[in-house]
Amino acid sequence: MTGRVLVVDDDRDMCRLLAHDLSRRGFEVMWSTSGAEAIEVAGTTELDVVLTDIEMADVNGIDLCRHLVANCPDVPVTMLTAFGTVETVIAALRAGASDLILKPPDMDGLASAVERAVQRRALQREVRRLTGVGDKAGTFDQILGDSRPIRQLTYCLGRVVDSDASVLVTGETGTGKELVARALHRRGRRHAGPFVPFNCAAIPHALVESELFGHVRGAFTDAHTTRTGLFLQAHGGTLFLDEIAELPLAVQPKMLRALQERAIRPVGADREVPCDVRLVAATNRDLESAVREGHFRADLFFRINVIHVEIPPLRARGTDVLLLAQHFLDRCARQAGKAVRTLSPPAADRIVGYHWPGNVRELQNCIEHAVAFARYEHLVVSDLPKRIQQTRSRASAAHDDSRLLPLDEVERRHILRVLDSAGGNRTLAARTLGVDRKTLYRRLARYARG
């Protein structure tokens, strides 16, 4: 974990102890023994979190917190106090503190609190950057994202956009396969032609052939008129076949011939009709396995898989999830007539931490739900669906220790951590622990005897 931390305490030894421990954990630490000096530092330095004692001689921690909340509202303030009274907690919350930790602090717990604050600061920056950019951002048509997997995807699409070769788009449900197909059409040289989508699983198998290739009048019972199939409807443009793995085996040879000869024969017709389409097919299934199992023809698979485009799942796209969330937030807020502008950092943390099995479609539904429940100008955790609310903070998950330990073992670990953080200085460690040196020596001697 990285982040710039300002430690403020009028006890110089405490500052050194905290700075030493946090620096070992990867934080960039500055420290000051004066609240007034801390105010000057905060005004001229980019900080991620301020860690301050409450009781100080010149400017106390409560006043320092109020100043930072008023003048540096994005910098979270974590307070330290030796007096955990109700009055102290209320004063800290009213001043705007993001966390309150009792002295002497457990160093692992303190590091967790600082990490949470740094993550909150990073999320605030990211949320601010994304506010209002949802409808403007994009790397390829309407495909939003700046993660490495999306950059690779859009690079691939840019290379093949003007080709007439068939494209097979694969990916989990909800990743946006039709969006990719439409982007290829809109950005390609066939953009003036029609884009015709068809879900191969949406109608009974017996009707698929007629739907795709059309039929002439009298070709079968109830064929009272001639029907133009989707291939001819897409002439000069793009035919998008979703869930191609569900295409009936009986129709697959005719599909193969249509793609090879660029001509189709309507059901009941006695001659072929020329047809110029670019085929984009999509599936969330493993077509190669379907071929091995005999559910899909190998020759058709190779014909539609000239160019393979795989869409990454949302969980592999990092903070793209926030960009997409902001995009959906802007859209849903406009549609609902609500003045909801952004995500709160805790809500953003839940969204980033959730695994999104339903991918982008699930995220869109989540934001639509949240906007419907929103009461403020920003979405809060309680606006999100219950399953998202229950997602654990990344920092708390990373530092979880679910093992149940005896009290003596908890004490031993804490004392040794404090001693290590004090660089082996037993006097400083004893002062931090709130015990005299003789008590500390006795504890250490007992631990040495094991």
Side-chain angles (χ1 to χ4, degrees):
M1 188 65 196
T2 59
R4 183 173 293 173
V5 183
L6 173 62
V7 175
V8 189
D9 196 311
D10 55 7
D11 183 338
R12 188 176 297 271
D13 288 335
M14 179 60 74
C15 283
R16 287 172 174 162
L17 171 66
L18 298 178
H20 174 73
D21 184 84
L22 293 174
S23 296
R24 284 195 312 111
R25 299 172 188 264
F27 296 99
E28 179 184 347
V29 185
M30 308 167 63
W31 59 271
S32 172
T33 57
S34 163
E37 182 181 70
I39 289 175
E40 293 182 11
V41 172
T44 58
T45 307
E46 186 76 14
L47 299 172
D48 292 302
V49 58
V50 173
L51 180 62
T52 179
D53 188 25
I54 289 183
E55 299 297 329
M56 293 187 292
D58 55 352
V59 176
N60 66 36
I62 298 294
D63 291 336
L64 173 59
C65 183
R66 290 195 186 102
H67 175 87
L68 292 173
V69 168
N71 296 278
C72 309
D74 293 339
V75 179
V77 180
T78 296
M79 289 191 170
L80 291 166
T81 181
F83 310 100
T85 64
V86 174
E87 291 77 9
T88 301
V89 173
I90 292 175
L93 291 176
R94 286 178 174 172
S98 62
D99 213 337
L100 181 65
I101 296 175
L102 292 179
K103 283 183 169 183
D106 171 79
M107 295 303 178
D108 286 343
L110 177 65
S112 273
V114 173
E115 183 173 344
R116 287 194 301 270
V118 170
Q119 287 182 343
R120 178 185 176 190
R121 172 74 161 134
L123 283 169
Q124 282 177 323
R125 289 196 187 107
E126 185 68 6
V127 168
R128 179 176 293 103
R129 184 181 72 83
L130 297 175
T131 302
V133 306
D135 288 332
K136 300 175 184 178
T139 52
F140 189 91
D141 205 76
Q142 295 183 16
I143 301 173
L144 304 181
D146 193 42
S147 62
R148 183 177 181 182
I150 288 299
R151 289 199 301 270
Q152 291 173 336
L153 171 66
T154 55
Y155 173 77
C156 173
L157 296 178
R159 292 289 300 274
V160 304
V161 68
D162 284 325
S163 170
D164 277 337
S166 298
V167 179
L168 177 63
V169 183
T170 60
E172 295 178 6
T173 297
T175 50
K177 295 184 285 292
E178 183 168 345
L179 183 68
V180 166
R182 289 184 181 275
L184 282 170
H185 176 73
R186 280 192 296 262
R187 292 287 292 269
R189 56 188 179 84
R190 291 177 174 266
H191 66 275
F195 178 86
V196 179
F198 175 66
N199 188 318
C200 297
I203 66 172
H205 282 191
L207 301 179
V208 171
E209 182 179 2
S210 173
E211 192 74 17
L212 289 173
F213 306 111
H215 61 259
V216 297
R217 180 181 178 183
F220 51 83
T221 305
D222 295 330
H224 302 302
T225 59
T226 296
R227 175 182 175 82
T228 301
L230 298 179
F231 264 89
L232 286 181
Q233 292 179 34
H235 182 74
T238 302
L239 176 62
F240 172 58
L241 298 183
D242 198 7
E243 299 194 52
I244 187 70
E246 305 302 322
L247 188 69
L249 268 173
V251 179
Q252 292 180 26
K254 194 166 185 176
M255 171 73 73
L256 177 63
R257 180 170 178 80
L259 295 175
Q260 288 177 336
E261 304 300 328
R262 292 191 174 274
I264 58 101
R265 184 190 295 269
V267 178
D270 55 7
R271 60 186 181 86
E272 291 185 334
V273 180
C275 184
D276 175 29
V277 300
R278 184 187 195 180
L279 179 74
V280 179
T283 182
N284 60 3
R285 291 178 51 188
D286 182 353
L287 273 189
E288 292 187 67
S289 295
V291 170
R292 288 194 296 270
E293 295 165 2
H295 301 312
F296 202 88
R297 290 178 61 106
D299 47 7
L300 180 59
F301 169 71
F302 292 124
R303 189 65 193 176
I304 66 175
N305 191 32
V306 178
I307 297 169
H308 180 205
V309 174
E310 185 171 6
I311 306 178
L314 188 54
R315 61 182 173 276
R317 295 175 55 180
T319 56
D320 276 359
V321 66
L322 291 181
L323 176 62
L324 290 163
Q326 185 64 49
H327 168 72
F328 294 136
L329 173 59
D330 293 341
R331 179 194 296 175
C332 293
R334 282 196 305 270
Q335 292 173 348
K338 285 191 169 184
V340 188
R341 299 182 57 238
T342 188
L343 299 162
S344 69
D349 188 49
R350 297 296 197 285
I351 287 172
V352 171
Y354 185 63
H355 61 292
W356 300 108
N359 292 292
V360 179
R361 185 181 296 122
E362 184 183 8
L363 174 63
Q364 182 175 356
N365 293 339
C366 163
I367 298 301
E368 187 174 353
H369 173 283
V371 169
F373 279 85
R375 296 160 292 168
Y376 313 111
E377 289 189 353
H378 54 272
L379 294 183
V380 298
V381 172
S382 60
D383 296 329
L384 301 172
K386 290 294 184 184
R387 65 185 183 281
I388 316 294
Q389 291 183 35
Q390 293 165 1
T391 300
R392 301 183 60 191
S393 163
R394 292 169 296 161
S396 64
H399 291 276
D400 177 48
D401 187 349
S402 58
R403 294 170 295 174
L404 298 177
L405 300 173
L407 185 58
D408 286 347
E409 176 64 12
V410 173
E411 179 190 80
R412 185 187 74 84
R413 293 186 181 193
H414 178 57
I415 288 175
L416 294 178
R417 278 197 299 264
V418 171
L419 181 63
D420 181 55
S421 297
N425 186 324
R426 298 185 178 190
T427 301
L428 178 56
R431 183 185 305 170
T432 303
L433 290 164
V435 300
D436 58 46
R437 285 183 296 174
K438 290 183 179 179
T439 300
L440 177 60
Y441 293 158
R442 285 197 298 272
R443 294 283 199 282
L444 293 175
R446 189 176 73 195
Y447 303 151
R449 291 194 299 269

